[in-house]
Amino acid sequence: MSPNPWNNIHNDAAFTDSYSMPGPAGSSNVDVQIFSDYTFQDPDTGQQITVNTGECPAHTYDADGNLQTVCGGYPNPLTNEFVRSIITIDMNGNLLAYKSFAVDFTDLSAALTEFGGIGYFYQDNDYRVVMGMPNGHIVAWERQASPVSGVDRYVMARDINVTGSGGPLAGENFYALVPNDEGYIWFTTSEGSVGTVAPEPCATDCIKSLNVNQFNDGTVQERISESHPVAGLSTFQQTNYFMYRFDMAPDGSPEIAWKAPYDRGIGQKSGQTSWGSGTSPSYFKIGDREFVTIFDNAVTPNIVVYRAEKNLRPGEDRVLAQAAPFGDRTDISNENSEIVLPGSTPDSVRIYAENNWGNDSVQSTLGPLTTVGGFGGIEVWSDGRVEVLPANHTISVPSIVSKGNAADNAIITYEKRVDGWYLTALNASDLRDVQWSAKVGDGAARFNNWYAQLSLAPGGDFYILGTLTGVTKVTPR
């Protein structure tokens, strides 16, 4: 992938959701700009078009610091399709490149929460957008000058049929793609398939896969609804029943290295899009030991830390530690990845989780409405010791993919109050302590991020939010 921490929605291949460079000085006063409406010559046809991008949930940045993203568009009930787009914009909001594609839908409510293609793309080391397309193909889109427009176009640089008609997994639905350092693409489908695509220039017999359900006795049907971090030749994925490590064999075939249960709870909770853990796993190391963490779906949910190595040492259990960062509260759910930051000692890390309970539709936060409060965390040591950090039980974080900043010792999040939406920094050592908070907008839906991320721009001087109407730039004064 392109350099960290700007190559996918979770910053890096490990999914730490963290930065190590300082952000802008905190302030309660900010300048807010929304970039969404463009009239220009279509770079493929030369015809003049007007486009409203809609929400752009995942942010990557190219070599020049421009934002490259995939935007969801808006549903057309007459055609039952979204017109989605790949775009590049500069930091003044000018449109530099554009490519549109249509996505059919039959169930609008399901389509509004289907995050796969537009959220879980990545930017490769040539700054191409690599994504699973609606037709079941993995495509690498390369930006090129257009012969008919001042706006650049995107052209297919690679096209691999995986789940499309005639593909080896025809009829399944892409969920996420993440590459390893060898150039193999680890991919998943909602139906439980995990596979790899061999690096370029492979054009035939490039795909190897397994389906986790082929190893079940038929009593459970596992599904995948989150993405997966990659480390070395391995990837880590939780289904709605189990946590897995998959290793890649010499021919590229995925193999189950280990499988462990977690508490999936008694049903889908408020604020979740599916039953089970709502977090994409996060991978980290302490010294020479490897770990992976998720937030489970227990009635009083836990941050669970697994030993990630294939083989355990004598006397070790697969679970290193677990703790409930919100205590005995039952009104807790999390539909976003955790944040991993360095701990207070060299042999520890801090892991953070937000509460999304109550975020059941866009209407859940309209006007003065808010969701149930909560931001918590733990510190865990490599020997299994664990300490619950002071939690913030009042901050309402409906759905943002929050970020940590090790340089600022801060958690940056997007909260909803009765009077509107705020970009807020919490003290990573004590989440009850608000470092700064700035109002971004009122309670209108256009300021709702709806499961999009926030990102720190490469220059470190402003933040970008994905909101329902487009890209929102927030610059502290």
Side-chain angles (χ1 to χ4, degrees), residues 262-267 269 272 275-277 295-304 322 324 329-334 357:
Y262 69 88
D263 191 336
R264 66 190 297 263
I266 58 176
K269 295 180 180 180
Q272 291 186 313
W275 183 355
S277 171
F295 194 76
D296 71 16
N297 199 44
V299 174
T300 54
N302 304 284
I303 292 175
V304 184
Q322 68 176 36
R329 287 181 57 185
T330 59
D331 55 349
I332 302 294
S333 69
N334 188 354
W357 189 285

Side-chain angles (χ1 to χ4, degrees), residues 75-94:
N76 184 334
L78 298 179
T79 62
N80 281 355
E81 66 179 18
F82 288 85
V83 177
R84 293 182 166 163
S85 59
I86 308 168
I87 66 170
T88 298
I89 61 173
D90 67 20
M91 291 300 95
N92 294 313
N94 299 306

Side-chain angles (χ1 to χ4, degrees), residues 260-342:
Y262 69 88
D263 191 336
R264 66 190 297 263
I266 58 176
Q268 181 176 331
K269 295 180 180 180
S270 173
Q272 291 186 313
T273 60
S274 59
W275 183 355
S277 171
T279 57
S280 296
S282 299
Y283 169 89
F284 61 92
K285 295 183 73 173
I286 303 177
D288 64 349
R289 299 304 306 267
E290 300 176 67
F291 305 95
V292 65
T293 178
I294 61 170
F295 194 76
D296 71 16
N297 199 44
V299 174
T300 54
N302 304 284
I303 292 175
V304 184
V305 181
Y306 299 89
R307 293 182 173 91
E309 293 97 345
K310 180 177 181 178
N311 298 312
L312 296 172
R313 297 178 183 178
E316 291 184 339
D317 296 322
R318 180 58 65 192
V319 173
L320 170 75
Q322 68 176 36
F326 299 99
D328 60 0
R329 287 181 57 185
T330 59
D331 55 349
I332 302 294
S333 69
N334 188 354
E335 192 60 29
N336 281 301
S337 183
E338 297 168 325
I339 297 167
V340 179
L341 289 178

Side-chain angles (χ1 to χ4, degrees), residues 309-382:
E309 293 97 345
K310 180 177 181 178
N311 298 312
L312 296 172
R313 297 178 183 178
E316 291 184 339
D317 296 322
R318 180 58 65 192
V319 173
L320 170 75
Q322 68 176 36
F326 299 99
D328 60 0
R329 287 181 57 185
T330 59
D331 55 349
I332 302 294
S333 69
N334 188 354
E335 192 60 29
N336 281 301
S337 183
E338 297 168 325
I339 297 167
V340 179
L341 289 178
S344 61
T345 65
D347 60 339
S348 69
V349 300
R350 290 172 173 165
I351 306 169
Y352 302 86
E354 65 189 49
N355 183 24
N356 303 138
W357 189 285
N359 192 56
D360 299 314
S361 72
V362 173
Q363 286 73 32
S364 299
T365 52
L366 282 179
L369 299 177
T370 64
T371 56
V372 177
F375 220 116
I378 65 171
E379 183 162 5
V380 62
W381 282 261
S382 57

Side-chain angles (χ1 to χ4, degrees), residues 35-43 47-56 71-74 83-87 89 93 95 97-101 151 469-470:
F35 309 132
S36 61
D37 296 301
Y38 297 96
T39 298
F40 58 100
Q41 306 302 121
D42 186 295
Q47 295 180 334
Q48 181 168 299
I49 58 173
T50 297
V51 170
N52 187 299
T53 63
E55 183 180 34
C56 309
C71 303
Y74 292 97
V83 177
R84 293 182 166 163
S85 59
I86 308 168
I87 66 170
I89 61 173
L95 184 66
Y98 175 83
K99 175 70 179 181
S100 67
F101 58 96
V151 174
T469 49

Side-chain angles (χ1 to χ4, degrees), residues 184-209:
Y184 284 82
I185 301 171
W186 280 100
F187 70 86
T188 57
T189 72
S190 299
E191 291 78 9
S193 289
V194 177
T196 66
V197 176
E200 297 173 276
C202 182
T204 60
D205 195 28
C206 303
I207 301 160
K208 308 291 185 182
S209 68

